[in-house]
Amino acid sequence: MLTLFLVALASATLLPGGSEVWLARLWCSGEPALLLWAVASAGNTLGSLVNVALGRYARHFQDRRWFPVSRRGLERAERWYLRFGEWSLLACWAPVVGDPLTVLAGVLRLPWWRAILLIALAKAVRYALVLWFAQAWLAPLCR
Protein backbone atom coordinates (compact mmCIF):
# COMPACT_ATOMS: atom_id res chain seq x y z
CA MET A 1 0.00 0.00 0.00
CA LEU A 2 2.86 2.38 0.74
CA THR A 3 4.15 1.80 -2.77
CA LEU A 4 0.74 2.67 -4.24
CA PHE A 5 0.68 5.86 -2.17
CA LEU A 6 4.15 6.87 -3.37
CA VAL A 7 3.41 6.04 -7.02
CA ALA A 8 0.14 8.00 -6.84
CA LEU A 9 1.93 10.93 -5.21
CA ALA A 10 4.69 10.96 -7.83
CA SER A 11 2.15 10.62 -10.63
CA ALA A 12 0.46 13.84 -9.54
CA THR A 13 3.66 15.85 -9.54
CA LEU A 14 5.58 16.73 -12.65
CA LEU A 15 7.28 13.33 -12.42
CA PRO A 16 6.00 10.53 -14.64
CA GLY A 17 4.07 7.73 -13.00
CA GLY A 18 1.60 4.97 -13.62
CA SER A 19 -0.64 4.94 -10.59
CA GLU A 20 -3.66 3.59 -12.48
CA VAL A 21 -1.75 0.50 -13.60
CA TRP A 22 -0.36 -0.02 -10.11
CA LEU A 23 -3.85 0.36 -8.62
CA ALA A 24 -5.34 -2.15 -11.08
CA ARG A 25 -2.51 -4.59 -10.41
CA LEU A 26 -3.06 -4.46 -6.66
CA TRP A 27 -6.82 -4.82 -7.15
CA CYS A 28 -6.22 -7.87 -9.34
CA SER A 29 -4.09 -9.40 -6.61
CA GLY A 30 -7.04 -9.22 -4.22
CA GLU A 31 -6.37 -6.08 -2.20
CA PRO A 32 -9.53 -4.37 -0.85
CA ALA A 33 -10.91 -1.88 -3.36
CA LEU A 34 -11.98 0.70 -0.78
CA LEU A 35 -8.53 0.78 0.79
CA LEU A 36 -6.86 1.00 -2.62
CA TRP A 37 -9.18 3.85 -3.60
CA ALA A 38 -8.45 5.78 -0.39
CA VAL A 39 -4.67 5.31 -0.59
CA ALA A 40 -4.42 6.22 -4.28
CA SER A 41 -6.72 9.23 -3.89
CA ALA A 42 -4.80 10.52 -0.87
CA GLY A 43 -1.40 10.07 -2.51
CA ASN A 44 -2.44 11.68 -5.77
CA THR A 45 -4.15 14.56 -3.96
CA LEU A 46 -1.03 15.19 -1.89
CA GLY A 47 1.11 15.13 -5.03
CA SER A 48 -1.11 17.76 -6.63
CA LEU A 49 -0.90 19.88 -3.51
CA VAL A 50 2.88 19.76 -3.88
CA ASN A 51 2.32 21.30 -7.32
CA VAL A 52 0.11 23.99 -5.79
CA ALA A 53 2.85 24.79 -3.27
CA LEU A 54 5.45 24.90 -6.04
CA GLY A 55 3.24 27.31 -7.96
CA ARG A 56 2.89 29.58 -4.95
CA TYR A 57 6.65 29.61 -4.44
CA ALA A 58 7.56 29.84 -8.14
CA ARG A 59 5.79 33.17 -8.56
CA HIS A 60 8.71 34.81 -6.75
CA PHE A 61 10.99 33.87 -9.64
CA GLN A 62 8.83 34.92 -12.60
CA ASP A 63 11.17 37.73 -13.62
CA ARG A 64 14.24 35.51 -13.72
CA ARG A 65 15.67 34.61 -17.11
CA TRP A 66 15.60 30.87 -16.39
CA PHE A 67 11.91 30.86 -15.34
CA PRO A 68 10.24 28.17 -17.53
CA VAL A 69 7.25 30.32 -18.55
CA SER A 70 7.48 33.68 -20.27
CA ARG A 71 5.63 36.66 -18.82
CA ARG A 72 3.33 36.54 -21.84
CA GLY A 73 2.68 32.83 -21.35
CA LEU A 74 1.91 33.39 -17.68
CA GLU A 75 -0.50 36.21 -18.51
CA ARG A 76 -2.25 33.99 -21.07
CA ALA A 77 -2.55 31.20 -18.49
CA GLU A 78 -3.93 33.64 -15.93
CA ARG A 79 -6.55 34.91 -18.40
CA TRP A 80 -7.57 31.32 -19.18
CA TYR A 81 -7.78 30.47 -15.49
CA LEU A 82 -9.77 33.60 -14.67
CA ARG A 83 -12.12 32.85 -17.57
CA PHE A 84 -12.87 29.28 -16.48
CA GLY A 85 -12.38 29.86 -12.76
CA GLU A 86 -11.29 27.63 -9.96
CA TRP A 87 -13.74 24.94 -11.12
CA SER A 88 -11.29 24.18 -13.91
CA LEU A 89 -9.22 22.51 -11.19
CA LEU A 90 -11.69 19.61 -11.40
CA ALA A 91 -9.80 18.68 -14.57
CA CYS A 92 -6.60 18.14 -12.56
CA TRP A 93 -7.04 14.38 -13.03
CA ALA A 94 -6.49 14.66 -16.78
CA PRO A 95 -3.16 13.81 -18.39
CA VAL A 96 -1.10 16.70 -19.81
CA VAL A 97 -3.30 19.54 -18.47
CA GLY A 98 -3.78 18.33 -14.89
CA ASP A 99 -0.34 19.12 -13.50
CA PRO A 100 -0.14 22.62 -15.00
CA LEU A 101 -3.62 23.38 -13.63
CA THR A 102 -2.50 22.61 -10.10
CA VAL A 103 0.67 24.68 -10.48
CA LEU A 104 -1.40 27.53 -11.89
CA ALA A 105 -3.80 27.32 -8.93
CA GLY A 106 -0.77 27.90 -6.72
CA VAL A 107 0.59 30.74 -8.84
CA LEU A 108 -2.79 32.47 -8.66
CA ARG A 109 -3.04 31.81 -4.93
CA LEU A 110 -6.25 29.79 -4.83
CA PRO A 111 -7.09 29.40 -1.12
CA TRP A 112 -5.75 26.11 0.24
CA TRP A 113 -9.11 24.80 1.40
CA ARG A 114 -10.61 25.23 -2.08
CA ALA A 115 -7.61 23.64 -3.75
CA ILE A 116 -7.76 20.66 -1.39
CA LEU A 117 -11.51 20.23 -1.88
CA LEU A 118 -11.48 20.44 -5.68
CA ILE A 119 -8.36 18.35 -6.16
CA ALA A 120 -9.48 15.65 -3.69
CA LEU A 121 -12.87 15.40 -5.39
CA ALA A 122 -11.34 15.08 -8.86
CA LYS A 123 -8.78 12.51 -7.77
CA ALA A 124 -11.33 10.43 -5.83
CA VAL A 125 -13.63 10.26 -8.85
CA ARG A 126 -10.69 9.35 -11.06
CA TYR A 127 -9.63 6.38 -8.95
CA ALA A 128 -13.23 5.26 -8.44
CA LEU A 129 -13.53 5.09 -12.23
CA VAL A 130 -10.24 3.21 -12.53
CA LEU A 131 -11.51 0.62 -10.05
CA TRP A 132 -14.86 0.42 -11.82
CA PHE A 133 -13.12 -0.22 -15.15
CA ALA A 134 -10.83 -2.76 -13.51
CA GLN A 135 -13.84 -4.63 -12.18
CA ALA A 136 -15.69 -4.43 -15.47
CA TRP A 137 -12.81 -5.33 -17.78
CA LEU A 138 -10.03 -7.00 -15.80
CA ALA A 139 -11.99 -9.24 -13.41
CA PRO A 140 -12.02 -12.25 -15.77
CA LEU A 141 -8.26 -11.91 -16.28
CA CYS A 142 -7.42 -11.57 -12.58
CA ARG A 143 -9.03 -14.63 -11.06
Side-chain angles (χ1 to χ4, degrees), residues 5-127:
F5 179 84
L6 293 173
V7 169
L9 188 145
S11 295
T13 64
L14 299 176
L15 301 172
S19 61
E20 298 84 4
V21 173
W22 197 257
L23 176 69
R25 183 185 92 46
L26 289 174
W27 178 82
C28 257
S29 70
E31 296 290 338
L34 185 59
L35 183 59
L36 291 171
W37 171 79
V39 168
S41 298
N44 212 242
T45 298
L46 185 59
S48 288
L49 293 174
V50 168
N51 288 346
V52 173
L54 288 172
R56 284 175 172 256
Y57 185 70
R59 188 70 183 237
H60 300 292
F61 300 107
Q62 72 183 14
D63 294 325
R64 304 280 170 89
R65 196 173 61 191
W66 51 264
F67 193 70
V69 180
S70 68
R71 178 172 288 286
R72 188 172 165 195
L74 188 58
E75 289 170 357
R76 184 173 49 239
E78 286 177 353
R79 281 194 307 273
W80 182 89
Y81 189 81
L82 293 173
R83 178 177 171 198
F84 292 104
E86 63 194 37
W87 294 103
S88 64
L89 202 51
L90 288 173
C92 69
W93 63 269
V96 180
V97 298
D99 294 341
L101 279 174
T102 58
V103 173
L104 188 57
V107 167
L108 296 176
R109 298 248 189 250
L110 180 67
W112 277 108
W113 71 270
R114 287 191 206 154
I116 293 167
L117 182 67
L118 293 170
I119 291 168
L121 177 62
K123 302 299 185 163
V125 169
R126 169 195 190 169
Y127 286 112

